[in-house]
Amino acid sequence: MSEIKTIGVLGAGQMGGGIAQVAAQAGYEVLLADMDLQHAEAGKGRIDKFMSRAVTKGKLDADAKQAALARITCVAGIEDLGPAEFAIEAATENVELKKRLFRSLDRALNKDAILATNTSSISITLLGAETHRPASVVGMHFMNPVPIMKLVELIRGLPTDDATYEATKALATKLGKTVITSKDCPGFIVNRILIPLINEACFALQEGLGTAEDIDTGAKLGLNHPMGPLELADLIGLDTCLAIADVLLRELGDDKYRAANVLRMHVAAGWLGRKTGRGFYDYKKR
Ligand code: NAD
């Protein structure tokens, strides 16, 4: 296994952008890919904006920002991630898409490179089976927003070897994160707890127990949560929450994971949360 100098990030959305940022800030060269060069560059633009806000707040030095941005190179597609010793896939939460992306990553990267996925719920073993290197495939689940949240959940697939696990743990530590380890089971640890909470808040909303504000204030002041479940769902992305709930239902086979209709209808309407300007709350008015 070679020393990790270059990290390939596939998917330049909110999570991929955050991962690229923390990797560049930790001194790694980053290759950032999405569906095409324009999407990758749009992702880098959002990283620039996010870091500019940190500079304005005095939390980040302007020179450090420029140095980190200079370490992020946008590329046209997966085939350009070849030089990376470590790749992190952070594309849309869809099993068929991720299977396809893992087959392409396997072709594009050297055979001793590690392939990690930031999936919230999809089996690492399943994705590893799409490659010729299942022992070098691992789950590296960052939290949102990546530059702020301290946790990384590591998931070993059935065939993941110790060298891959230890190298991924060392990388997460270098990125300033605290690591927990979960078995390869739908939703792993964090989303196994979080998604039923968010889904129950959705049921409470659709049954008219209270307004979205009532439900979120109840969780914040009654349970001492820093954010309410509905505003957190808007931050995560309602499409991602629904995709995870559907994986939990399908894989665990228990009706208690059935997604609330109000969540499904918001996704059908394209009201995906902050990223589209509207979810359970309207961010254009805020
Ligand atoms: P997002 O919608 O912000 O970004 C997804 C990105 O994937 C987009 O830029 C999209 O263009 C890209 N993409 C789609 N198809 C692609 C393809 N064929 N090739 C390359 N790129 C492609 O979503 P996100 O919130 O960043 O989530 C990404 C992943 O991270 C998902 O697996 C999700 O479950 C996981 N995750 C999300 C959160 C969260 O809070 N949102 C937290 C932890 C993990």
Side-chain angles (χ1 to χ4, degrees), residues 14-15 34 90-93 98 118 120 141-142 144 236 275:
Q14 48 180 350
M15 295 305 290
D34 200 282
T92 309
E93 187 77 351
K98 286 191 193 283
N118 184 49
S120 303
H141 183 217
F142 290 84
N144 185 15
I236 293 168
K275 63 184 170 186

Side-chain angles (χ1 to χ4, degrees), residues 104-126:
S104 304
L105 282 170
D106 191 38
R107 279 195 296 275
L109 274 83
N110 283 332
K111 64 176 182 352
D112 54 355
I114 292 176
L115 307 183
T117 172
N118 184 49
T119 180
S120 303
S121 61
I122 294 166
S123 165
I124 310 307
T125 309
L126 190 82

Side-chain angles (χ1 to χ4, degrees), residues 152-264:
V152 167
E153 191 174 27
L154 294 186
I155 305 102
R156 294 181 75 138
L158 214 49
T160 307
D161 64 20
D162 289 345
T164 298
Y165 173 77
E166 292 302 336
T168 309
K169 191 172 178 183
L171 174 61
T173 309
K174 278 200 186 154
L175 300 183
K177 304 302 181 191
T178 299
V179 165
I180 59 169
T181 305
S182 168
K183 273 193 185 169
D184 189 11
C185 192
F188 317 127
I189 294 173
V190 172
N191 283 315
R192 182 72 177 268
I193 299 168
L194 174 64
I195 294 301
L197 172 77
I198 286 176
N199 198 32
E200 202 57 37
C202 294
F203 275 110
L205 183 70
Q206 91 182 19
E207 287 168 22
L209 265 64
T211 62
E213 286 84 357
D214 287 330
I215 292 165
D216 280 342
T217 304
K220 283 188 281 195
L221 302 187
L223 306 175
N224 208 17
H225 289 191
M227 286 179 87
L230 298 174
E231 55 180 339
L232 179 56
D234 275 356
L235 175 71
I236 293 168
L238 302 188
D239 53 338
T240 301
C241 292
L242 178 61
I244 302 169
D246 283 345
V247 169
L248 292 177
L249 178 63
R250 189 174 68 235
E251 303 291 328
L252 298 172
D254 190 327
D255 256 8
K256 73 178 179 181
Y257 298 113
R258 180 174 49 93
N261 191 50
V262 71
L263 176 60
R264 205 171 284 286

